[in-house]
Each structure stands twice: as C-alpha cells, then as structure tokens.
C-alpha cells in the first residue's frame, strides 16, 4: 500500500508534528511508501532538520514530501495520486473537490480516511469507524479518532520508543551528553523542568512555587509561545539563561528549536514537563514523568470538558489524595486560578506521582499503537 497524507498548517506546530510522526512511522516501522502533502514545509523544517523548507518535492527514503498547493492538483500531483491506495485527510484540512475528483477517477478509488484530533471524550468511541459516503463521487470517508481506550484509534507510539526511553533514562552519562549537545550543562542535583505552554498561560503561581523551593532548578523554555507567556509574567528571556529575580538557584534557560527526537529526549531528561495541545501532550505521557497539560483553548471553554474527560481516564486508578491534588492543579491552572500552594502540595507527593505516571504509561502501552490500529482498520473496513 502507498499512503498519501494531507496536512494544512493552521497555527503552532502540532498538526505538522503529528502528520510527520505518522508518516515517519509508516515508513520506518511498517515499510510503507508515503507521500506527505503539506502546505507549509517551512513549519515542518523547524523541527525536522532533514526537510528543506524551500523544496517543492523531496525524497527521504520511502517518504516523499510535496508542497501542497491547495486549489487543485497539478500534473505531477495527479501522477502521484494515481498510485495512492490510502488517502489520509489530517484534522479536517479539507481535500477540495478537484483533489477528490482526481482520487475518484481511478478504476479502484483509494481508501479515504479522516484522521481526527486526539480526544479523551466519550464521543471518540462513538465516531471512530463511522463512514460518510460522498454525495456525488464514488468515495466514502471513514473516521479515525485517536483516543485513550481500545475502542478508539489509539496513540502514536513508535515500535521501540519505550525501550529507547528506558535506556536513555537509565544512563546519566547519556543524559549529560544530550544536555551538553543542546548547549546546557547541568549537575545531578539540579531539578529540570520543561516549560512548553501556550502564550496565555498564567505563570505567577508557578514562579512563586519555584521561588519557594530549596532545590536548584533549571526551567527549559523552547522558543515561541512559552517565552511569550514568560514575558507576560514580567520575565523577558533573551539568548542566555536568566535567574528568577531574588532566587538565583532558579534559572530559565532558552532552548533552540529541537528536532522531534531531541524533544522526546528533553522530556525524558526532565523531572516535570509542562506541555500543551496534542503532540507534546502524548509524548509527555510516553516519557513516564509527571506533567501538566494545557489543551488548546476553545470557544465556550470546550477545552475544559476535554480536560475533565482526560482526568477521568488518567486518575481512574490513582490514590485518592494524589488524584485530588492532580485534578486541582490541572483544572485551576487551565483557568489561571492555581496558587503556589497547589503546586507545592502536589510536588510534595512527587514520588507517588512519578509512580503513577509509570503505571499510566504501562497501561497505555498495553494497547496497540495508532499506526497498528490504522493498518488493521484499513484491512478490515476499507480495502475491498
């Protein structure tokens, strides 16, 4: 089977990041030929250094990357479309009628998959697997919904990801070499935190908690929105590490844009990870480390319903006191209402929290990964 993945970059890096992980895993773990059409290769190149931002077409082994010119396919696109067995429309990006007509014109039209955004909500099980025939063309869209239960599309997880993580986390010298490679020199005693939040995150309580903690702490801050959030809290981060005013043992450390694999290593290296959206949210869970999630803000606070649904899954088997503390911090932080005491109260239970994160990760790993479920879904329901 040859796969065609279509991705439109709306904002941030999440959609491109998920599409890139999916394309790479289909190629690397399952030996599939993949064409990824993306309308902004420059966004992809920011975290995929092998990608050339200015190239119209480039081959990366069995993965071909094409700049997606949305209005209609050109002759080269049509030639490529003629060989696609599975067309994956990522996150409602919208395949226009000229593209669908080109797919439908084949003697055997391809399987057409609508890959939805990850959601922990119960409707994921209800929508996953549904089909929707095109009103005019001989094409049927099939909905594939990533999620946290066995009746959904699962989560992206490369075949050897957890083995790589365990080797890395069990080797302090490897962690030190990685940190040195990204320009950081840390001591074993230093507590490490990743801050990968949205620009509207309220950081005052977080900063107050750090200021009261006795342990030396480095907070790693990627470029973009996390630094905007810091600036909103009154801390302008330039090109060098900046100590928290009045608290020299707490440093905010600017990081360059990291490749996806290095971002995973960053999460594996840290004691705590503040993440957002979808891609970093999933990778934080595979890190087996404590984390805080900020879902993408939506109208009428729909993101808070998504947060509550995730907490129902995540805390189902957590000790009661720990679950109450996690739930309080997640909910209050996403409303900008948490206090330094909320942070401190949870961090006092960090050993229990760490153990819970490992159990949660093992629970998720017992389920098939997204790519495995996708291939099975296609074999059972789509290819006739």
């Amino acid at each position: 089977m040859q796969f065609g993945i279509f991705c439109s970059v709306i904002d941030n890096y999440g959609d491109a990041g998920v599409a890139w992980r999916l394309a790479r895993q289909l190629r690397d773990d399952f030996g599939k030929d993949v064409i990824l059409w993306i309308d902004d290769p420059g966004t992809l190149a920011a975290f995929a250094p092998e990608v050339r931002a200015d190239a119209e077409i480039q081959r990366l082994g069995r993965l071909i990357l094409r700049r997606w010119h949305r209005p209609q396919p050109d002759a080269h696109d049509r030639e490529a479309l003629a060989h696609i067995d599975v067309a994956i429309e990522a996150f409602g990006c919208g395949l226009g009628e000229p593209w669908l007509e080109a797919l439908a014109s084949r003697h055997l039209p391809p399987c057409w998959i609508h890959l939805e955004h990850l959601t922990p909500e119960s409707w994921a099980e209800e929508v996953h697997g549904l089909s929707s025939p095109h009103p005019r063309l001989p094409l049927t869209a099939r909905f594939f919904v990533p999620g946290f239960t066995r009746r959904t599309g699962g989560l992206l997880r490369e075949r050897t990801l957890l083995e790589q993580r365990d080797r890395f986390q069990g080797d302090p010298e490897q962690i030190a070499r990685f940190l040195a490679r990204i320009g950081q020199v840390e001591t074993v005693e230093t507590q490490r935190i990743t801050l990968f939040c949205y620009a509207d995150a309220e950081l005052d309580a977080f900063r107050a908690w750090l200021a009261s903690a006795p342990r030396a702490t480095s907070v790693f801050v990627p470029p973009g929105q996390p630094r905007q959030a810091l600036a909103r809290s009154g801390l302008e981060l330039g090109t060098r590490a900046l100590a928290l005013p009045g608290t020299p043992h707490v440093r905010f450390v600017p990081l360059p844009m990291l490749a996806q694999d290095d971002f995973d290593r960053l999460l594996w290296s840290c004691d705590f990870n503040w993440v957002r959206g979808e891609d970093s949210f999933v990778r934080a869970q595979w890190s087996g480390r404590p984390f805080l999630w900020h879902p993408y803000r939506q109208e009428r606070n729909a993101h808070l319903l998504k947060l509550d649904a995730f907490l129902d899954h995540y805390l189902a088997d957590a000790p009661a006191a720990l679950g109450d503390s996690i739930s309080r911090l997640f909910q209050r932080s996403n409303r900008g209402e948490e206090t330094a005491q909320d942070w401190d109260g949870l961090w006092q239970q960090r050993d229990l929290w760490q153990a819970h994160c490992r159990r949660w990760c093992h629970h998720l790993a017992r389920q098939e990964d997204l790519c495995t479920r996708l291939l099975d879904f296609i074999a059972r329901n789509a290819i006739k």
Side-chain angles (χ1 to χ4, degrees):
M1 287 186 291
Q2 184 169 103
F3 287 74
I5 302 174
F6 298 83
C7 178
S8 178
V9 177
I10 304 302
D11 56 8
N12 304 315
Y13 301 97
D15 289 0
V18 172
W20 184 243
R21 289 193 193 275
L22 173 61
R24 288 202 310 165
Q25 190 182 0
L26 286 169
R27 177 195 65 183
D28 297 341
D29 284 356
F30 296 94
K32 303 300 182 183
D33 294 308
V34 183
I35 302 176
L36 173 58
W37 275 270
I38 187 168
D39 59 1
D40 183 9
T43 293
L44 193 57
F47 56 82
E50 63 268 49
V51 170
R52 303 191 311 276
D54 58 347
E56 291 291 309
I57 303 174
Q58 52 192 303
R59 178 179 289 275
L60 302 163
R62 301 182 73 165
L63 196 166
I64 297 174
L65 184 66
R66 302 179 68 96
R67 186 185 298 273
W68 187 17
H69 298 285
R70 297 290 300 274
Q72 61 183 0
D74 61 21
H76 298 292
D77 289 321
R78 291 180 183 278
E79 182 180 356
L81 291 171
H83 300 285
I84 295 299
D85 300 298
V86 180
I88 300 176
E89 184 177 340
F91 317 122
C93 61
L95 278 174
E97 288 297 298
W99 290 83
L100 293 177
E101 288 170 354
L103 291 172
S105 67
R106 296 174 42 182
H107 174 64
L108 289 176
C111 169
W112 177 21
I113 302 288
H114 276 202
L115 175 64
E116 300 296 316
H117 279 291
L118 167 67
T119 182
E121 295 171 281
S122 60
W123 63 258
E125 294 186 349
E126 300 166 5
V127 174
H128 180 64
L130 294 182
S131 60
S132 176
H134 191 281
R136 183 173 58 84
L137 300 172
L139 292 171
T140 297
R142 291 176 168 84
F143 293 89
F144 192 90
V145 186
F148 293 89
T149 69
R150 296 185 183 277
R151 294 176 60 190
T152 66
L155 304 173
L156 281 169
R157 184 183 79 249
E158 296 81 3
R159 186 170 291 165
T160 63
L161 178 69
L162 300 186
E163 290 83 353
Q164 293 178 46
R165 179 205 65 191
D166 289 343
R167 287 195 300 270
F168 183 88
Q169 291 181 336
D171 186 347
E173 292 185 0
Q174 189 175 358
I175 295 174
R177 288 195 300 270
F178 165 70
L179 293 173
R181 180 162 61 81
I182 64 173
Q184 308 307 321
V185 179
E186 304 295 325
T187 65
V188 175
E189 294 76 20
T190 301
Q191 177 175 264
R192 293 186 289 266
I193 294 174
T194 297
L195 178 62
F196 191 61
C197 60
Y198 287 120
D200 59 2
E202 298 293 341
L203 300 182
D204 290 347
F206 176 64
R207 287 179 49 178
W209 166 64
L210 290 174
S212 66
R215 189 175 173 187
T217 302
S218 289
V219 182
F220 297 126
V221 189
Q225 296 206 35
R227 297 189 198 175
Q228 295 172 27
L230 268 183
R232 288 180 58 251
S233 74
L235 201 62
E236 293 282 353
L237 190 60
T239 58
R240 295 184 178 182
L242 184 65
L244 193 62
T247 315
H249 65 280
V250 177
R251 302 186 313 142
F252 286 85
V253 182
L255 290 182
M257 193 72 182
L258 298 177
Q260 278 189 330
D261 293 342
D262 278 345
F263 186 77
D264 284 337
R265 295 183 185 100
L266 176 67
L267 299 178
W268 300 346
S269 301
C270 288
D271 303 285
F272 171 79
N273 297 301
W274 187 328
V275 291
R276 71 193 197 198
E278 180 170 335
D279 184 55
S280 64
F281 171 46
V282 172
R283 305 314 278 196
Q285 291 171 77
W286 294 135
S287 78
R289 302 294 200 199
F291 66 94
L292 171 65
W293 178 43
H294 272 195
Y296 188 82
R297 187 178 295 275
Q298 296 175 288
E299 293 182 0
R300 297 189 295 276
N301 287 330
H303 59 293
L304 298 180
L305 299 177
K306 184 178 294 187
L307 175 68
D308 289 342
F310 170 70
L311 291 172
D312 287 341
H313 293 293
Y314 179 52
L315 302 178
D317 296 322
L322 176 67
D324 289 344
S325 296
I326 292 174
S327 181
R328 182 182 305 110
L329 180 65
F330 274 57
Q331 292 173 335
R332 290 184 177 180
S333 178
N334 276 281
R335 293 179 171 86
E337 298 172 352
E338 87 274 25
T339 66
Q341 289 72 34
D342 292 326
W343 283 96
D344 188 61
L346 181 53
W347 201 240
Q348 293 299 323
Q349 305 174 71
R350 62 185 176 274
D351 291 340
L352 281 175
W353 194 8
Q354 172 64 70
H356 174 69
C357 288
R358 296 293 289 199
R359 288 194 302 271
W360 172 247
C361 183
H362 290 320
H363 164 75
L364 294 176
R366 285 195 293 268
Q367 302 181 31
E368 301 90 350
D369 65 278
L370 186 150
C371 271
T372 298
R373 291 187 184 183
L374 176 63
L375 292 173
D376 181 64
F377 178 81
I378 292 167
R380 288 187 295 105
N381 299 312
I383 299 296
K384 302 299 184 184

